[in-house]
Amino acid sequence: MEFARTGDARLIGRPSLSESEDKAKMLIATNYAKKMAADMRLIDPVKYGDHPDNKVSVCARNVAEWYHKSQAHKGTQIIFSDIGTPKPGAFNIYDALKDKLVKDFNIPPHEITFIHNWTEKKKPELFRKMNRGEIRLLIGSTDKAGTGLNVQQRVVAMHHLDIPWKPSELEQRNGRDSRQGNVIAKQFYSNKVMNYIYAVEQSLDNYKFNLLKNKQLFISQMKNNELNVRSIDEGAMDEKSGMNFSEYIAILSGDTSLLEKSKLEKKVAVLESLKTAHFRDISRSRFQLESVISDKTNAERTLSLLTTDESNYKAVLSLDKDGAKNNSIALKGFSSADPEQIGRHIISLYKNWKPLEGQDRQQIGSLYGMELFIVQHKNYTGFDKSGDAEYEKYNSFFAQSPASGIRYSYNDGTPNTDNPKLAARHFLSAIDRVSSIKEQYQKKVDEAEAAIPMLEKIIGRPFEKEAELRELKSELSILEKEIAAKILANKLLETGSTKDTTENITEEKQAVIVPFNPKGNTIVVAHAPLKTRGMKL
């Protein structure tokens, strides 16, 4: 931290930085911190030695435990590390782990292999040997072992010695065993595979998990199109999802208050999302209520006009001796009462009628107090060779009520041109629709009357969890003050200040001073069973 602040290379055992190196000192600091979190011997194998609580040692103990536990079934394990890969003549994590497994835990060296020793042509042989249990421990990087390895048949445990930079890389690693075809896990280990992730307290591991958390949150929301989600996973460790990144961060910090803060933030986010959805529903319902009221008013107005038309129509309607409606149509310039002749005349008008200049419609007769019209329509089709606009023209019929102005049509105004007798009754069929149209508008009014009180109830409904949200926000605020006080106290300790820290701490007097842990012990931050595709967890 001091090197990153000052650029003094002596603090990390390096020669003075050049001008170009000084500009990249944060990259150098990150690289050193990454190595330190993995194994101090990556910094200087002479100055720093092995330690029983470093990652290699802790991982070796877990690997050996599962090696012997699964001996009867020849269970296999995969250990991932993107740092400290094999380098001839130099310290590296791969050889250090293998040496410890062989010397301290008596695991035959021929049962341990590095992915770097297998070319693409030789990989099928590696697959066969691991799936037969001849090779039981594979050590590799995400790049070389994260994809394309069909070695899942006997995998009983996975180990992550370092933390990748992208969520997808962790998913790629886990995909080596959480897949169909893991016969040993299914038959002997309740269809579960143990997944170990190793991290050093208060190291770069904490920062990397924080990056993964933020990246995964964004990626998930983008994939699901839920940047404003309605529900958020609580993040508790379970068989479905394992432990989430926020919980890793809290555990790595060594301070449970951060874990509590993470959980409170999630609960607040859930309630805030529900509150947003609640008021969005209210806003939508208010807009819908206004629309329903407007539609109801219009429907009632039209219904009143339709009722008048229906009443007028039925008052003059006449029936023949068989109860059929008489077609007492009167067409201008046509005197025949023969239905077939009437039909032929209507068909002729439909096919041949042309409007006078400046007009597009003409009244052609009357029926039961309704005025009968023919109208010509024009559909634009393009331009002719001379550049003039061309139109497709066609005629249609409608009956209009003088009382209401409502138009009634049948079959979109098109008569039956194949049957003159049916064509003769075209206008009667149009006028006769007044009752069915009236029923439709009555239904609209009834539906609106039923919807209005429901929408009014929704609009007046308060957010039921408002009190809970306020309480959680209050708890979170208090907790944030406590954490801020701890951070301030730690800074004072690190600078060696002797000034009374209570002067610099907020009114939360119960704040606990948490000193930096210099040991940097490796802890297994997760050993949850992995979800396997097609397999019960």
Side-chain angles (χ1 to χ4, degrees):
M1 289 168 61
E2 186 65 15
F3 164 73
R5 187 180 70 83
T6 64
D8 186 355
R10 293 173 298 177
L11 295 170
I12 57 174
R14 284 177 61 105
S16 297
L17 300 182
S18 65
E19 184 177 347
S20 60
E21 288 176 333
D22 186 67
K23 293 179 181 179
K25 66 176 181 291
M26 288 307 303
L27 183 60
I28 295 172
T30 302
N31 186 46
Y32 267 69
K34 182 171 63 174
K35 290 180 178 179
M36 292 163 66
D39 197 299
M40 290 297 294
R41 288 174 290 179
L42 290 173
I43 304 296
D44 190 333
V46 176
K47 185 176 181 180
Y48 303 105
D50 194 8
H51 191 281
D53 289 328
N54 64 20
K55 286 187 179 182
V56 171
S57 299
V58 176
C59 178
R61 290 195 290 269
N62 287 327
V63 170
E65 178 184 354
W66 275 98
Y67 175 88
H68 296 296
K69 185 187 295 185
S70 63
Q71 181 69 45
H73 312 116
K74 293 186 177 181
T76 60
Q77 301 177 64
I78 304 175
I79 303 99
F80 282 101
S81 179
D82 291 340
I83 194 170
T85 53
K87 291 182 180 179
F91 173 81
N92 64 83
I93 288 179
Y94 284 53
D95 286 318
L97 178 59
K98 181 177 180 179
D99 289 345
K100 189 175 289 287
L101 290 170
V102 172
K103 294 177 182 178
D104 296 353
F105 298 99
N106 300 317
I107 295 177
H110 67 271
E111 294 186 2
I112 306 171
T113 191
F114 303 158
I115 189 64
H116 301 74
N117 296 335
W118 299 86
T119 63
E120 289 298 323
K121 290 183 178 180
K122 291 184 177 180
K123 277 187 178 179
E125 182 183 354
L126 170 65
F127 302 163
R128 288 192 295 270
K129 288 188 174 183
M130 285 202 70
N131 287 328
R132 289 198 297 258
E134 296 175 12
I135 294 177
R136 297 186 57 191
L137 304 177
L138 172 65
I139 308 174
S141 62
T142 307
D143 182 49
K144 293 184 178 293
T147 57
L149 286 186
N150 297 316
V151 296
Q152 68 272 12
Q153 293 184 16
R154 295 178 179 270
V155 178
V156 295
M158 300 268 289
H159 306 264
H160 304 271
L161 280 175
D162 67 345
I163 300 162
W165 289 103
K166 295 185 290 188
S168 59
E169 292 175 341
L170 196 58
E171 292 176 3
Q172 287 173 4
R173 291 181 177 187
N174 292 336
R176 296 317 91 216
D177 68 317
S178 57
R179 59 199 303 182
Q180 292 179 337
N182 193 329
V183 179
I184 299 301
K186 186 173 184 179
Q187 292 183 356
F188 303 104
Y189 297 96
S190 303
N191 216 20
K192 298 176 182 177
V193 173
M194 295 306 293
N195 189 39
Y196 293 89
I197 297 180
Y198 302 86
V200 175
E201 292 176 296
Q202 296 178 308
S203 74
L204 187 68
D205 289 341
N206 185 53
Y207 171 74
K208 291 176 76 174
F209 267 118
N210 190 39
L211 282 180
L212 286 181
K213 169 198 171 185
N214 294 333
K215 290 178 181 179
Q216 185 61 63
L217 177 63
F218 176 76
I219 291 169
S220 298
Q221 290 177 338
M222 286 296 291
K223 281 184 176 180
N224 299 324
N225 194 23
E226 293 178 345
L227 289 178
N228 185 11
V229 292
R230 291 206 175 196
S231 61
I232 299 175
D233 178 26
E234 279 293 318
M237 185 170 68
D238 57 31
E239 290 183 333
K240 290 185 178 180
S241 61
M243 191 183 298
N244 77 1
F245 294 135
S246 294
E247 290 170 315
Y248 287 132
I249 295 168
I251 290 175
L252 290 174
S253 71
D255 186 352
T256 57
S257 60
L258 287 177
L259 179 57
E260 184 62 27
K261 178 175 179 289
S262 175
K263 290 183 177 180
L264 280 175
E265 285 174 336
K266 290 174 189 174
K267 290 179 180 179
V268 168
V270 168
L271 292 183
E272 286 284 11
S273 181
L274 291 175
K275 184 176 180 179
T276 299
H278 169 77
F279 285 107
R280 187 188 297 115
D281 288 341
I282 287 179
S283 178
R284 188 185 299 113
S285 298
R286 184 176 289 110
F287 177 80
Q288 188 177 355
L289 177 61
E290 294 173 356
S291 177
V292 169
I293 292 175
S294 176
D295 291 345
K296 177 176 177 288
T297 301
N298 294 333
E300 286 176 332
R301 186 182 302 113
T302 304
L303 180 63
S304 176
L305 297 174
L306 288 166
T307 302
T308 300
D309 284 351
E310 182 187 44
S311 178
N312 293 339
Y313 168 52
K314 289 184 176 181
V316 297
L317 179 64
S318 64
L319 306 174
D320 62 19
K321 60 181 180 180
D322 296 324
K325 297 180 180 68
N326 286 317
N327 185 20
S328 54
I329 187 171
L331 296 173
K332 291 182 177 181
F334 187 82
S335 58
S336 175
D338 179 60
E340 187 162 347
Q341 292 298 321
I342 293 172
R344 292 185 184 280
H345 181 68
I346 289 175
I347 293 171
S348 176
L349 285 172
Y350 173 74
K351 291 182 176 180
N352 304 314
W353 179 79
K354 294 180 180 180
L356 298 175
E357 186 69 28
Q359 297 181 1
D360 64 349
R361 72 195 61 189
Q362 178 182 329
Q363 184 177 351
I364 60 173
S366 62
L367 176 63
Y368 291 127
M370 297 280 188
E371 298 172 343
L372 311 182
F373 287 87
I374 186 170
V375 60
Q376 187 168 92
H377 308 274
K378 294 194 300 183
N379 285 338
Y380 171 75
T381 58
F383 294 95
D384 59 18
K385 293 181 178 179
S386 62
D388 296 328
E390 289 187 325
Y391 298 91
E392 177 189 14
K393 299 177 182 180
Y394 65 94
N395 298 323
S396 68
F397 296 118
F398 67 86
Q400 184 168 344
S401 166
S404 67
I406 295 176
R407 297 179 181 181
Y408 300 91
S409 65
Y410 178 74
N411 193 30
D412 291 329
T414 304
N416 189 320
T417 56
D418 298 324
N419 189 324
K421 290 184 177 181
L422 291 178
R425 299 183 68 84
H426 176 82
F427 286 104
L428 182 60
S429 298
I431 297 171
D432 204 42
R433 293 186 64 234
V434 62
S435 296
S436 62
I437 296 174
K438 177 189 169 186
E439 290 177 0
Q440 294 174 14
Y441 276 86
Q442 183 63 60
K443 184 179 180 181
K444 288 182 179 180
V445 171
D446 294 342
E447 289 175 347
E449 289 178 346
I452 288 173
M454 295 175 60
L455 292 170
E456 289 175 340
K457 185 177 180 180
I458 292 174
I459 291 172
R461 186 178 62 195
F463 180 54
E464 297 176 354
K465 297 188 177 183
E466 183 64 43
E468 182 182 353
L469 178 58
R470 283 198 303 268
E471 183 179 350
L472 286 173
K473 283 185 174 180
S474 177
E475 291 179 18
L476 181 59
S477 177
I478 293 173
L479 192 58
E480 286 174 342
K481 290 179 181 178
E482 292 178 2
I483 294 171
K486 293 176 185 179
I487 292 172
L488 179 58
N490 279 333
K491 285 183 178 179
L492 293 173
L493 283 176
E494 290 174 4
T495 57
S497 174
T498 57
K499 188 176 182 180
D500 185 1
T501 57
T502 58
E503 296 179 7
N504 298 293
I505 298 179
T506 64
E507 64 272 13
E508 306 301 329
K509 301 297 183 181
Q510 69 272 26
V512 179
I513 296 175
V514 183
F516 175 73
N517 176 13
K519 293 183 179 180
N521 293 334
T522 299
I523 58 175
V524 181
V525 296
H527 52 277
L530 270 176
K531 178 177 181 180
T532 54
R533 292 189 288 272
M535 302 166 68
K536 182 180 177 183
L537 295 171

